[in-house]
Amino acid sequence: MTAFCCLAFLSGCSGDSNNNTNVSSSSISVSSSSKSTISVPASSSHSLGSSSSSYALSESPYVGQWYAPAYGYVLSVTTEGTAFTVKTYSVTTDYCLLQKRVSDVSHIKLEQEYVYSNSGKEILLKKNGDYPPGVDYEKVDKLPLACTENLQILKADSGYSFDAKKDFEIFWQTFNDLYINFELRGVNWNAVYEDAIKSVDTIKDETELFEFLSELTVPLGDGHALLIRAPLSLDLDKSITAALENDETPSFNASTQLTLYEKLLNEYLQMSGHDGESTSVQTAAAENYIVENFDNIVGTIFDYADQHSVVKVRAAGQIAWFKTSNNIGYLFVGSMSDYTEGKSTLISDIASDVAIAEATINEALKDLEGTDGLIVDVRFNDGGQDQVALNFVRHFMGQSQVVYSKFAGRGAWATPVQDVMLDPHKENIYLKPTAVLTSGDTGSAAELFTIAMASLSQVTIIGEPTAGAFSDILVKRLTSDILFGVSNETYLDVQGNNYEKIGIPPKIPVPFATLQERVEGYDAGIESAINWIEEKR
């Protein structure tokens, strides 16, 4: 779940059964607060059948209004002719925006994206691929008053006029209603409002508003509290895909932990004595320093390969492996997505990523099955697809077990805590001592991988705390062409610990990519992992 290529597009029904835009999301229950366990894969609790002609569409239990308060979403499912129309509204305390509209949805496609159930209350579960939990929408009698009496005019609509104050209010209220933990981030959101409202009227256009709102998110230090400015339509998936494929799209997010890029940049500035505005020459010199040292770090890693070991590289360069001279396996996983060479891995390519990941991990673990232990390096991995990450974990499991828990929202709107249980894979299982290497760049889906791996008895975590950005990105929009993300979910390890912001602490702390390591040509993380594995032999 990187901030850009793996947004959890929690925005409505897709017209393509393979286009599941929920990377990962918690189940919702408006009134329940109990804890439950979910196994993987989940099974459907209701089926309407494949024929839409057996009864009138208007009699379908899907028709109606559905509310997920911890996500600030309302679904409206209606019928038009021989198909359904699904509208997704984004709601705050005072505002309502039509965020997405999908027409011509057949019964079959609706079933592929949502599961209907009725056990005392009617629920629509928005599916999450093979890995639950998804988002539960509870049926309500009618749309919120804000949607019927104060539906906002969007930029693409006739009669629209730019209103910076209104968009600021929508932005602030969305975070105020849904953000998981301001206290954890050390931010007084009410104080932010009081300061911002004094100057918001001076904002003249969308560019200034984008910069203004970006500054408001900086104190959160949340890599998933991102902003993107791009043309938006009610085909939101298409709009986002086009925006992310355009290198010129303005975007902003702030990381929690110090990243490798930031470390190297700070190191360069300190060594060069630079303090102040940079010229183009100085900027180029800094970038060259970062690239050269990055290549140095990667080169040192692969120097650990035994001279008789074949270094294999797969998944468009994102996954590689080899054996060390002391018969320990090394597996580099640079991302949990982007596995197709020359092709942007966005919404429609999740299935491709999962297939490539599965074929690659099978090949790697078959090659490494005779090793005495394994090092899995996710220090460069800033996320990707949760489905990929969890499928990797299944190859290190000897039995079914809970690997983490999750809930959405806070206070009265908090959903039940869901324990997520994984089953071992059917083949190529690795149960020997396994060290997972982490850094401040290890984020999102890579953190999900780490927290799940940490629950396994043969695994230890070595390195630095992870990025501390667990929640999927809850996508919201303003009346102008500004899209933003909100962290509305909390992940817990099997002991109930929450590592949002602080990151998953390593069992064996080891700094990553220090200047001393680069000068002397060694990798302290790999050295520590080798020593730990040899002690376990």
Side-chain angles (χ1 to χ4, degrees):
M1 300 175 287
T2 60
F4 302 111
C5 73
C6 296
L7 296 169
F9 299 118
L10 311 179
S11 51
C13 182
S14 167
D16 182 352
S17 63
N18 294 318
N19 184 6
N20 189 334
T21 56
N22 279 338
V23 177
S24 177
S25 307
S26 238
S27 293
I28 305 295
S29 177
V30 172
S31 58
S32 174
S33 61
S34 61
K35 185 173 182 178
S36 59
T37 300
I38 300 178
S39 296
V40 177
S43 60
S44 172
S45 60
H46 181 84
S47 175
L48 294 176
S50 59
S51 174
S52 61
S53 60
S54 58
Y55 61 92
L57 289 185
S58 60
E59 297 175 1
S60 166
Y62 283 73
V63 173
Q65 320 304 326
W66 306 85
Y67 183 34
Y71 291 83
Y73 280 145
V74 173
L75 290 183
S76 177
V77 182
T78 59
T79 58
E80 293 184 11
T82 60
F84 294 94
T85 294
V86 180
K87 296 178 180 178
T88 304
Y89 295 91
S90 179
V91 296
T92 71
T93 302
D94 300 314
Y95 295 93
C96 179
L97 296 85
L98 179 57
Q99 184 154 308
K100 183 175 179 180
R101 174 191 170 108
V102 183
S103 302
D104 298 322
V105 181
S106 68
H107 253 158
I108 294 174
K109 289 180 178 178
L110 196 61
E111 287 181 312
Q112 288 169 340
E113 186 123 6
Y114 297 93
V115 177
Y116 171 86
S117 65
N118 188 355
S119 301
K121 57 184 177 182
E122 292 182 273
I123 298 291
L124 275 190
L125 170 66
K126 191 175 192 301
K127 295 181 182 179
N128 181 33
D130 293 331
Y131 292 97
V135 179
D136 281 352
Y137 288 84
E138 185 173 338
K139 198 163 196 177
V140 293
D141 294 334
K142 57 185 178 181
L143 290 172
L145 197 63
C147 294
T148 57
E149 297 188 4
N150 193 30
L151 183 64
Q152 298 301 303
I153 298 174
L154 306 179
K155 186 175 180 179
D157 300 334
S158 61
Y160 168 82
S161 61
F162 175 74
D163 189 332
K165 185 176 180 181
K166 178 187 290 185
D167 272 1
F168 161 70
E169 293 277 1
I170 295 170
F171 180 86
W172 185 89
Q173 282 191 15
T174 303
F175 273 88
N176 195 57
D177 291 348
L178 302 175
Y179 194 72
I180 47 177
N181 200 324
F182 289 110
E183 294 76 17
L184 188 68
R185 297 281 175 178
V187 173
N188 184 331
W189 199 238
N190 288 322
V192 169
Y193 180 91
E194 295 300 326
D195 287 340
I197 198 67
K198 298 172 184 175
S199 56
V200 69
D201 287 333
T202 65
I203 296 172
K204 301 180 182 66
D205 55 34
E206 208 170 86
T207 299
E208 291 184 1
L209 177 62
F210 180 84
E211 294 172 353
F212 180 79
L213 298 178
S214 297
E215 287 299 315
L216 297 187
T217 67
V218 170
L220 294 173
D222 185 346
H224 284 171
L226 63 91
L227 291 97
I228 297 173
R229 184 165 64 86
L232 302 177
S233 70
L234 291 182
D235 188 344
L236 197 61
D237 292 348
K238 184 177 180 180
S239 299
I240 297 170
T241 299
L244 298 181
E245 289 179 337
N246 182 356
D247 292 337
E248 301 301 317
T249 297
S251 61
F252 176 85
N253 70 313
S255 59
T256 303
Q257 307 287 1
L258 199 63
T259 64
L260 177 58
Y261 180 92
E262 291 167 335
K263 286 180 185 177
L264 295 176
L265 177 59
N266 291 342
E267 184 178 280
Y268 171 80
L269 294 176
Q270 184 177 12
M271 292 173 62
S272 65
H274 178 68
D275 184 17
E277 289 267 341
S278 297
T279 65
S280 58
V281 173
Q282 290 168 329
T283 299
E287 292 292 337
N288 288 337
Y289 181 84
I290 292 168
V291 170
E292 289 172 4
N293 279 273
F294 182 89
D295 291 343
N296 181 322
I297 294 164
V298 174
T300 298
I301 287 172
F302 286 92
D303 285 343
Y304 281 88
D306 182 77
Q307 60 179 343
H308 302 297
S309 174
V310 176
V311 177
K312 291 188 178 181
V313 181
R314 299 287 187 270
Q318 298 290 358
I319 301 176
W321 64 93
F322 58 78
K323 295 178 184 178
T324 69
S325 58
N326 40 8
N327 198 40
I328 292 173
Y330 172 87
L331 176 63
F332 173 89
V333 184
S335 176
M336 298 299 177
S337 64
D338 296 323
Y339 294 157
T340 305
E341 192 75 52
K343 184 178 180 182
S344 176
T345 306
L346 295 171
I347 300 171
S348 61
D349 297 317
I350 295 176
S352 174
D353 275 339
V354 171
I356 293 171
E358 179 58 18
T360 302
I361 193 67
N362 275 312
E363 181 184 1
L365 292 181
K366 188 171 183 180
D367 286 349
L368 301 173
E369 63 182 352
T371 55
D372 296 322
L374 181 63
I375 302 167
V376 183
D377 194 343
V378 290
R379 292 176 296 181
F380 299 86
N381 192 323
D382 63 357
Q385 307 292 357
D386 285 3
Q387 296 183 50
V388 169
L390 293 177
N391 200 55
F392 285 157
V393 174
R394 295 177 63 209
H395 284 275
F396 296 90
M397 300 177 64
Q399 61 184 8
S400 300
Q401 69 171 75
V402 173
V403 293
Y404 66 91
S405 302
K406 182 179 179 181
F407 66 93
R410 68 180 194 277
W413 286 353
T415 68
V417 177
Q418 302 282 347
D419 289 335
V420 176
M421 178 176 286
L422 292 187
D423 297 320
H425 209 277
K426 294 180 180 179
E427 57 184 359
N428 293 320
I429 303 295
Y430 195 96
L431 300 178
K432 296 172 186 176
T434 301
V436 176
L437 301 184
T438 60
S439 75
D441 285 279
T442 306
S444 202
E447 288 187 281
L448 181 63
F449 169 81
T450 303
I451 203 171
M453 288 289 284
S455 71
L456 308 180
S457 60
Q458 84 276 21
V459 174
T460 198
I461 310 301
I462 297 175
E464 298 176 333
T466 59
F470 287 86
S471 173
D472 297 331
I473 302 171
L474 179 64
V475 175
K476 297 289 182 174
R477 66 159 298 168
L478 301 177
T479 64
S480 57
D481 282 343
I482 296 177
L483 191 83
F484 64 101
V486 181
S487 296
N488 75 314
E489 299 170 327
T490 299
Y491 286 77
L492 306 172
D493 71 6
V494 290
Q495 285 80 38
N497 297 309
N498 176 14
Y499 297 120
E500 189 74 23
K501 182 189 176 184
I502 62 175
I504 302 167
K507 188 73 173 179
I508 303 174
V510 179
F512 175 47
T514 65
L515 180 59
Q516 180 179 339
E517 290 176 82
R518 278 173 278 136
V519 171
E520 299 182 10
Y522 70 97
D523 186 307
I526 293 178
E527 296 281 354
S528 297
I530 290 173
N531 291 337
W532 177 79
I533 291 170
E534 289 183 334
E535 289 174 0
K536 295 292 181 180
R537 284 202 278 208

